[in-house]
Amino acid sequence: MDKHFSKFNLVIYSLPAIAMMIAVSAYSFVNGFFLSNYAGPTAFAAENLIWPLIMIFSTVGLMVGTGSSALIANKLGEKDKGTARRYFSMFVYFAIILGIVLTFVCFVLVEPVAILLGAKGELLDLSIYYEHIMSFSIPGYLLQMAFMVYLILQANLIWAFSQQLFAQ
């Protein structure tokens, strides 16, 4: 990054992030399509009502990934691969444990949040049912978001390394 940062470099650095966000967004589109067409409008409404709660918890993985990738990149820049690997492992374990804890928190919060958002009757029942199934994926979402940042870091490190090779 000590060299001139052109528009081309900005696009190259941004491509992994754009690709990962498209992949993450594809899940929501496909899930909504099949749920609305095959489970009905009430089930689709229940999913849309409760999905933000699950995503709020899963974005913690983005915070873990962003913060830890800065530490890992710093250690890799210092040529301290051993510490970078230990940081990576520590943050992956942390994300898994935090995901398990947030799963239980989500189980506790789903009914009050759904009621606060106006769910009643069948919508409330379907919201709770959907959340109970989806909350088990929170550790996976945390890891997905963290690994998205790690993949972007890896792609940018490869790009920076290739630029150094061609500059010499």
Side-chain angles (χ1 to χ4, degrees), residues 6-150:
S6 66
K7 290 178 185 177
F8 176 75
N9 286 343
L10 177 63
V11 170
I12 293 298
Y13 277 106
S14 300
L15 284 178
I18 293 167
M20 292 305 297
M21 290 308 295
I22 290 171
V24 169
S25 298
Y27 171 79
S28 295
F29 173 75
V30 171
N31 186 40
F33 175 79
F34 285 104
L35 193 60
S36 65
N37 284 315
Y38 297 108
T42 306
F44 186 56
E47 185 247 355
N48 282 315
L49 186 76
I50 227 57
W51 186 252
L53 177 65
I54 294 167
M55 288 310 296
I56 286 169
F57 287 129
S58 67
T59 56
V60 172
L62 188 60
M63 291 187 291
V64 170
T66 302
S68 63
S69 69
L71 294 172
I72 292 167
N74 185 34
K75 290 300 172 187
L76 288 173
E78 294 173 356
K79 308 282 191 253
D80 188 0
K81 289 183 181 180
T83 303
R85 287 182 181 132
R86 284 192 299 278
Y87 282 177
F88 176 77
S89 297
M90 178 183 64
F91 283 113
V92 168
Y93 294 139
F94 175 73
I96 292 169
I97 292 167
L98 185 61
I100 292 168
V101 169
L102 289 177
T103 295
F104 291 112
V105 169
C106 204
F107 261 89
V108 171
L109 289 180
V110 65
E111 188 170 358
V113 168
I115 291 170
L116 181 69
L117 293 173
K120 298 176 189 149
E122 184 184 8
L123 182 61
L124 178 62
D125 294 338
L126 286 173
S127 296
I128 293 169
Y129 179 71
Y130 183 76
E131 185 279 331
H132 283 168
I133 293 169
M134 288 303 295
S135 66
F136 287 110
S137 66
I138 291 175
Y141 280 127
L142 260 69
L143 289 174
Q144 175 189 8
M145 296 302 242
F147 277 104
M148 178 177 69
V149 177
Y150 296 145

